[in-house]
Amino acid sequence: QVQLVESGGGLVQPGGSLRLSCAASGMSISMYAMGWYRQAPGKQRELVAAIASGGATNYADSVKGRFSISRDNAKNTVYLQMNGLKPEDTAVYYCHANRFTRGYWGQGTQVTVSS
């Protein structure tokens, strides 16, 4: 059974940093494209950052230069380092794994940026 478990969310002041983790079980992330998505209240879920199995990365324009996605295949974990957080980054952040026609979601972790 595949599971993706996110952690690391919380309340942070504008300009602060958080690191999200996505621990996978029942699968090997080295074989999957991994991504972080977010969904704010009343908005559609959007891609924040993705990393291919080969290591190539891409980011939403809104987070370029502030967020960084990485993977540790030995720990079977994907990370999202978020710096320079803004109130508009407030959302539930979801981890996603994709390989061909197979896709899996985590349960999400709340990130709130507020003073």
Side-chain angles (χ1 to χ4, degrees):
Q1 181 181 0
V2 173
Q3 279 193 314
L4 300 174
V5 179
E6 301 98 332
S7 62
L11 174 64
V12 63
Q13 291 187 342
S17 298
L18 284 174
R19 188 175 82 154
L20 305 183
S21 299
C22 172
S25 59
M27 56 166 279
S28 174
I29 67 166
S30 63
M31 300 178 67
Y32 284 75
M34 303 297 296
W36 286 96
Y37 289 73
R38 67 186 180 188
Q39 188 166 20
K43 294 188 177 182
Q44 289 188 330
R45 192 172 297 189
E46 62 175 358
L47 177 66
V48 175
I51 183 166
S53 57
T57 59
N58 67 284
Y59 298 91
D61 288 342
S62 59
V63 307
K64 281 181 182 177
R66 300 188 297 123
F67 290 12
S68 178
I69 188 171
S70 62
R71 63 197 300 158
D72 186 332
N73 291 339
K75 293 183 177 180
N76 221 27
T77 300
V78 179
Y79 304 97
L80 184 68
Q81 178 66 44
M82 306 187 293
N83 300 324
L85 283 161
K86 304 175 181 180
E88 51 263 43
D89 295 319
T90 295
V92 178
Y93 283 70
Y94 297 91
C95 180
H96 183 255
N98 180 65
R99 183 170 186 262
F100 301 122
T101 59
R102 294 185 178 181
Y104 304 98
W105 290 96
Q107 83 290 348
T109 185
Q110 176 70 46
V111 171
T112 302
V113 185
S114 175
S115 55

